[in-house]
Amino acid sequence: MKSEFDSHLVSRRQVVHTVGLGVVIGTAGCVGGSSGSSPEPVDLSGQKTDYQGGMVIGDHGGPNGQVFYADTEPEPRQGPVQGSEGTENLAWFHTLAHGLFPYHLNLVADGAEATAVYVTDYSRVDWEIPEDTERKKMPAPTAPDTFADATGLTYVIESDVMGGMGPDLMPFSEPSEAESFADNYGGRTIGYDDIDRSLVDGIQMTGMN
């Protein structure tokens, strides 16, 4: 059944209808990258809570993320984490700029090494954005096949579309889809290697203005 918003939705199909297939091959960046054999992403449904702020993943819109560490057992800053058996070296997040990257940057500064960093890949998601809402938001998928290696993605920043806590990084495995997204919603594209503490702090400050 179609919703009342169907005539006001912008979908991934509309944004990328002229985009061809592409391949992005990334390397580990300044926030710590994958090394050795990488574990597979896990399902983030089931009311799992964000390691950075304790909020439920999937409930607030925007990209999610998960990081596996080599010899570090990450601890949540706030709230219990449910369903974490067998994932002692994994931390998960409901935002990137306000969750995954600030948390990960701190652990890397303390000597932690990531074996895999996964974030939502909107090139894999058939997303839709209601155009007549006050705050445009991307969906927050939690299934394992909606995640991709963060180091090989193209990110849109400074767009009009929000994540779970305001401005965020919107990841795409198809760089031309990221460019089309920026053309439609503003902002600019960057690579994983461009993500550092200064950039993340700037995104967070934008959300406070």
Side-chain angles (χ1 to χ4, degrees):
M1 179 179 297
K2 291 185 178 294
S3 74
E4 61 181 313
F5 297 115
D6 282 352
S7 61
H8 302 285
L9 290 171
V10 172
S11 70
R12 174 175 178 263
R13 291 184 298 274
Q14 290 172 283
V15 171
V16 304
H17 71 282
T18 60
V19 175
L21 295 177
V23 176
V24 182
I25 299 176
T27 58
C30 54
V31 297
S34 305
S35 63
S37 178
S38 298
E40 295 297 317
V42 302
D43 186 353
L44 294 189
S45 64
Q47 300 293 290
K48 294 178 176 67
T49 53
D50 188 293
Y51 271 58
Q52 176 75 355
M55 299 181 74
V56 175
I57 296 176
D59 284 2
H60 307 284
N64 301 313
Q66 46 188 291
V67 185
F68 291 84
Y69 294 97
D71 298 305
T72 301
E73 293 188 14
E75 295 292 336
R77 286 184 51 190
Q78 179 180 345
V81 177
Q82 302 297 326
S84 58
E85 294 81 2
T87 56
E88 293 83 2
N89 299 103
L90 171 61
W92 41 55
F93 307 90
H94 87 290
T95 71
L96 304 185
H98 300 267
L100 185 149
F101 284 112
Y103 184 99
H104 183 51
L105 284 163
N106 289 337
L107 261 65
V108 169
D110 289 338
E113 178 186 2
T115 59
V117 182
Y118 294 113
V119 297
T120 301
D121 177 6
Y122 284 115
S123 292
R124 299 185 179 189
V125 178
D126 190 17
W127 50 266
E128 292 183 328
I129 301 175
E131 287 292 278
D132 52 355
T133 57
E134 183 177 352
R135 285 167 64 90
K136 299 181 180 70
K137 277 193 176 184
M138 291 294 270
T142 57
D145 61 0
T146 63
F147 291 92
D149 179 358
T151 66
L153 304 185
T154 300
Y155 298 79
V156 178
I157 61 172
E158 301 168 0
S159 76
D160 297 331
V161 181
M162 300 292 105
M165 292 184 66
D168 213 332
L169 301 103
M170 301 299 168
F172 295 84
S173 56
E174 302 293 348
S176 44
E177 290 189 13
E179 293 287 353
S180 294
F181 186 90
D183 288 343
N184 280 274
Y185 296 106
R188 58 189 176 93
T189 61
I190 62 170
Y192 181 82
D193 289 348
D194 298 315
I195 302 171
D196 57 16
R197 193 178 299 275
S198 176
L199 181 107
V200 171
D201 288 347
I203 294 173
Q204 292 180 354
M205 290 299 296
T206 300
M208 296 178 183
N209 296 332

